[in-house]
Amino acid sequence: MAPSGPAITWDVQDGIAIVTLDSKDQPVNVISRAVKDEFIATFELLGNDPAVKAVAFFSGKKDNFIAGADIEEFVQLSSAAEAERLSAGGQEMLDRIAKFPKPVAVGIHGACLGGGLEFALACRYRVATENPKTQLGLPEVQLGILPGAGGCQRLPRLIGARAALDIILAGKTERASKAFRLGIVDELVPPAILKDITLAAARRMAGGWKPKRRRPGGFVGWLLDGNPLGRALVFRMARKQVLKQTRGNYPAPLAALEAVQYGLRHGVPEGLKREAQLFGQLAVTDVSRKLVQIFFATTQMKKDFGIPNPPPPGTVRRLGVVGAGFMGAGIAGTAVAQAGVDARMKDADLPRVAKGIASARDILDDRLKRRRIDKFEYARLVALLSGSDSYAGFGGADLVIEAVFEDLAVKQQVLKEVEAATRDDAVFASNTSTIPITRIAEASRRPGHVIGMHFFSPVARMPLLEVIPGARTDPAAVSTVVAFGRRIGKTVIVVKDSPGFWVNRILAPYMNEAAHLLLQGVAMEEIDRLMSQWGFPVGPITLLDEVGLDIAAKAAGVLHGAFGERLAPPPALDALVKAGRIGRKAGKGFYRYANGKKRGPDDAAYHLLGAHPNGGVHAAEIIQRLTLVMLNEAARAVGEGVVRAPRDGDIGAIFGIGFPPFRGGPLRHADDLGAGRIVSELERLVGQYGTRFAPCEVLQEQARRNARFYS
């Protein structure tokens, strides 16, 4: 083996240089400045070596090809010019690979993302394993930047503008099988023969063979991608779609669209120049900084168990779920789909269990339909789902999650039944959204094994999980459920056992204020429109309909009882619940629904509330009232230690309620506004609307000391 540096080694066999990248000091391969220098030096030597006829390139990591550029270096950029130079340097390196006089074949196994995929695109031939861990994509827009090492130029030329924009503008990652169908990858193989097939391709190319590629899409593809008129239509539609999705809050997708369009119009060299300029501009925006902070926070949280000196987690192989309703079925289906655990459901009668199993299977059906799994894997996973109207089969459960009615007595009864049916070391988790875990654990024979796992609805789609240790929960139980939460694809935050925990606690005043605005005469669609424009995925009135007014009323009652008048919901909302207008699931709430689609505001809802839309409140005031009550409650909850760190609170709000990521989360946003400004605005609102706006002690203290949540 001939090393050219700490990360790259190579060996020449029968005229083929077998090059391996393995950054020894990193868990995954990333392209740093040092690695970039090694790449250039290695290919310089191979280019000048007459014994080398072709190159076969591999990763030395177990399940990772190249995860992208080094983000640590990226955050140190201080100017647009510096960022532009970084991008141009990456382009120059990959241009050398693309123009390398000897053919390069690359064997891809594991994550091939960002700069990793841009490197693969610069090679002559790409072989990938069909393993689910092999994912290819350009996720840069999720960090507020664009693919800046030629990705905006090479991908559209390889697979056509439409398919390339679909990946670039959404920051998508695709399984290798999809990448093969799109034409990004030339061959798809089992991992065991990746090396042999890649070497064979390199040998064929060394002998003069040239890979022939047909652009996918046939005649329609040619019509839309292959001529300037068709492309103009594609770009116009893409721009419209981006603006609809981002509402202009995220500059990266529009800049990426421009880089692709410019390159196809003016040629690759000019396209690369424009790509680097746009990369430079984006890299120093506040939006990019915020998205990178979120990336680092979620990466750190994958290693953090939320408690000091966490013991090793127990392995969950068998899961019991009590309650086969919407939440229970979602938990069971997600656990089977993501972690391949054996999941057994229990409910009061068999028809309910059957309905729950069918609902859990829907999650697997969706994965099969979207080709995330094949029919053999589907059959294996479906066989892991079972259920009964008794606790038969629960004896082997490592973890039991209850998802029954939100009532303390009911949950305590279930806890006693589960303890009688399970091993002494089994963990019992309650999927409660408001009831303190310590209260539930009062009925337990082994309170050290009782914990809260608060999932969000719908379970398969919502990325957050709140883990809530009770007063007597063992650290081992915390480690076990945090590790299991991650295994099933959730971002996990560990929160204090207090009413509403974190997410519902900060959401309650926001929802209540939306109701106050309605009663004051603001139209429901105006409230929703303004908050969607501000950056939430949906407005608060739509969110109430989605959650269900009955569930929201129950949670509001608990929080009102715990925190007093500050979190009292307007009594007028009870009229909607009494009239059976509980939201989307009933076909009517604030809005009307037909065939599962929202049909528009319902005058009957205004009538029941005694509200008359008159547009009497200024738009800026609506946004201010809704956001400041949430920031105030978030600051108060941080002061009470509901979350251990501002980082956890911001991640919880972003992943739990869709707080706008480009604003960094409620606590970062509070820092941006400044405590002094927030306190004076809240005091003004107290004068107009009452004490629910009274600024909390944490913000007042920050204002006095000119302090922040993040140092």
Side-chain angles (χ1 to χ4, degrees), residues 21 28-31 39 57 59 64-69 108-117 119-120 135:
L21 170 65
V28 296
N29 286 328
V30 291
I31 300 175
F39 259 106
F57 188 98
S59 159
N64 166 265
F65 179 67
I66 301 174
I108 302 164
H109 173 72
C112 173
L113 304 173
L117 179 55
F119 164 71
Q135 308 252 347

Side-chain angles (χ1 to χ4, degrees), residues 407-435:
D407 178 278
L408 178 62
V410 174
K411 288 185 184 291
Q412 288 185 330
Q413 178 59 33
V414 166
L415 168 57
K416 287 179 193 161
E417 291 168 6
V418 167
E419 286 188 340
T422 54
R423 302 191 314 260
D424 281 354
D425 62 346
V427 176
F428 176 90
S430 172
N431 173 48
T432 175
S433 53
T434 49
I435 302 170

Side-chain angles (χ1 to χ4, degrees), residues 30-44:
V30 291
I31 300 175
S32 60
R33 280 197 175 92
V35 169
K36 215 180 280 178
D37 292 343
E38 280 190 57
F39 259 106
I40 291 167
T42 301
F43 278 90
E44 185 99 5

Side-chain angles (χ1 to χ4, degrees), residues 383-700:
L384 294 172
L385 276 169
S386 63
S388 172
D389 57 356
S390 75
Y391 286 100
F394 271 61
D398 305 295
L399 168 66
V400 176
I401 302 172
E402 68 76 9
V404 299
F405 189 64
E406 193 75 346
D407 178 278
L408 178 62
V410 174
K411 288 185 184 291
Q412 288 185 330
Q413 178 59 33
V414 166
L415 168 57
K416 287 179 193 161
E417 291 168 6
V418 167
E419 286 188 340
T422 54
R423 302 191 314 260
D424 281 354
D425 62 346
V427 176
F428 176 90
S430 172
N431 173 48
T432 175
S433 53
T434 49
I435 302 170
I437 302 305
T438 304
R439 293 290 312 280
I440 296 170
E442 285 166 4
S444 173
R445 284 190 294 109
R446 38 180 203 259
H449 289 73
V450 179
I451 195 165
M453 287 179 86
H454 178 210
F455 290 87
F456 293 79
S457 178
V459 179
R461 288 218 313 274
M462 293 298 282
L464 188 72
L465 171 66
E466 286 182 311
V467 166
I468 312 104
R472 296 168 69 187
T473 305
D474 290 341
V478 181
S479 289
T480 298
V481 298
V482 168
F484 181 68
R486 287 186 191 137
R487 251 179 86 201
I488 62 172
K490 302 299 175 197
T491 295
V492 183
I493 61 168
V494 177
V495 300
K496 185 177 166 184
D497 186 18
S498 85
F501 313 128
W502 170 253
V503 171
N504 283 341
R505 168 81 180 272
I506 67 170
L507 188 59
Y510 172 74
M511 301 288 235
N512 289 347
E513 199 53 39
H516 283 297
L517 285 159
L518 263 182
L519 295 169
Q520 212 181 316
V522 182
M524 57 182 87
E525 63 271 41
E526 173 69 355
I527 296 171
D528 280 349
R529 184 185 66 78
L530 288 170
M531 294 321 289
S532 295
Q533 226 172 330
W534 197 76
F536 278 97
V538 294
I541 307 296
T542 297
L543 186 58
L544 273 165
D545 268 1
E546 294 290 339
V547 169
L549 273 80
D550 51 342
I551 292 167
K554 199 149 188 57
V558 171
L559 290 164
H560 181 197
F563 300 108
E565 284 311 297
R566 186 182 81 248
L567 292 188
L573 290 181
D574 291 343
L576 292 180
V577 179
K578 282 194 186 103
R581 307 187 68 89
I582 55 172
R584 182 190 281 276
K585 61 190 172 189
K588 56 188 180 177
F590 290 103
Y591 292 96
R592 286 173 292 112
Y593 299 86
N595 304 323
K597 285 202 165 61
K598 190 160 86 170
R599 294 298 180 206
D602 198 332
D603 291 341
Y606 285 124
H607 180 71
L608 280 164
L609 291 168
H612 308 285
N614 54 34
V617 185
H618 195 275
E621 173 107 332
I622 293 168
I623 293 168
Q624 193 175 50
R625 279 168 61 178
L626 287 164
T627 53
L628 292 188
V629 282
M630 184 186 279
L631 301 192
N632 195 23
E633 200 59 41
R636 188 181 273 111
V638 167
E640 293 169 17
V642 174
V643 284
R644 293 167 315 131
R647 174 202 74 180
D648 296 22
D650 280 339
I651 292 299
I654 289 163
F655 289 110
I657 55 175
F659 193 94
F662 71 93
R663 297 185 190 277
L667 303 165
R668 272 208 195 273
H669 187 55
D671 279 355
D672 285 349
L673 294 174
R677 180 177 161 194
I678 295 173
V679 167
S680 67
E681 287 300 334
L682 285 168
E683 283 168 346
R684 180 183 67 76
L685 291 168
V686 169
Q688 280 181 274
Y689 303 108
T691 56
R692 68 179 184 271
F693 285 103
C696 70
E697 185 51 45
V698 171
L699 287 172
Q700 292 186 53

Side-chain angles (χ1 to χ4, degrees), residues 143-225:
L143 294 178
I145 49 177
L146 51 71
C152 295
Q153 310 309 314
R154 289 194 179 92
L155 191 62
R157 283 172 173 78
L158 180 69
I159 62 171
R162 279 175 312 151
L165 290 172
D166 190 43
I167 289 170
I168 294 168
L169 303 186
K172 260 191 196 168
T173 298
E174 300 287 10
R175 295 275 283 262
S177 53
K178 174 87 181 278
F180 175 64
R181 287 200 304 278
L182 288 170
I184 299 172
V185 166
D186 297 298
E187 277 189 80
L188 199 59
V189 299
I193 59 169
L194 175 69
K195 193 168 185 180
D196 295 344
I197 298 294
T198 309
L199 282 168
R203 275 192 207 98
R204 289 201 308 276
M205 291 192 294
W209 174 78
K210 284 190 170 59
K212 284 189 173 57
R213 293 189 182 94
R214 260 198 2 211
R215 180 172 289 170
F219 178 68
V220 176
W222 174 82
L223 209 61
L224 290 171
D225 290 332

Side-chain angles (χ1 to χ4, degrees), residues 208-405:
W209 174 78
K210 284 190 170 59
K212 284 189 173 57
R213 293 189 182 94
R214 260 198 2 211
R215 180 172 289 170
F219 178 68
V220 176
W222 174 82
L223 209 61
L224 290 171
D225 290 332
N227 71 84
L229 280 175
R231 280 205 297 268
L233 178 67
V234 168
F235 289 124
R236 201 162 58 242
M237 297 300 286
R239 186 181 172 79
K240 201 171 153 186
Q241 187 67 15
V242 165
L243 287 170
K244 186 182 166 189
Q245 282 171 343
T246 66
R247 301 183 185 92
N249 291 321
Y250 297 87
L254 284 177
L257 182 63
E258 188 192 328
V260 172
Q261 194 169 9
Y262 196 89
L264 288 173
R265 190 177 293 158
H266 299 282
V268 174
E270 289 302 311
L272 288 169
K273 239 185 258 177
R274 188 70 189 124
E275 182 180 287
Q277 283 168 357
L278 290 163
F279 179 92
Q281 290 164 20
L282 290 169
V284 291
T285 59
D286 185 56
V287 171
S288 178
R289 289 282 187 255
K290 293 279 197 296
L291 296 177
V292 169
Q293 282 158 355
I294 293 165
F295 170 80
F296 278 128
T298 49
T299 305
Q300 286 164 358
M301 289 175 85
K302 284 174 188 159
K303 306 171 198 143
D304 184 354
F305 282 87
I307 48 170
N309 309 315
T315 306
V316 176
R317 291 185 188 86
R318 292 199 172 93
L319 172 71
V321 179
V322 184
F326 185 64
M327 289 301 284
I331 293 166
T334 302
V336 168
Q338 293 279 10
V341 297
D342 201 324
R344 186 157 179 84
M345 284 192 268
K346 189 261 176 213
D347 212 315
D349 56 56
L350 288 173
R352 269 191 244 187
V353 175
K355 200 175 166 193
I357 290 174
S359 191
R361 271 180 75 157
D362 286 345
I363 294 167
L364 299 173
D365 291 344
D366 182 59
R367 300 202 120 206
L368 180 68
K369 195 170 99 188
R370 291 194 292 131
R371 302 193 195 186
R372 290 277 183 249
I373 50 175
D374 61 28
K375 58 183 187 215
F376 304 109
E377 179 68 352
Y378 173 79
R380 185 183 79 81
L381 294 176
V382 164
L384 294 172
L385 276 169
S386 63
S388 172
D389 57 356
S390 75
Y391 286 100
F394 271 61
D398 305 295
L399 168 66
V400 176
I401 302 172
E402 68 76 9
V404 299
F405 189 64

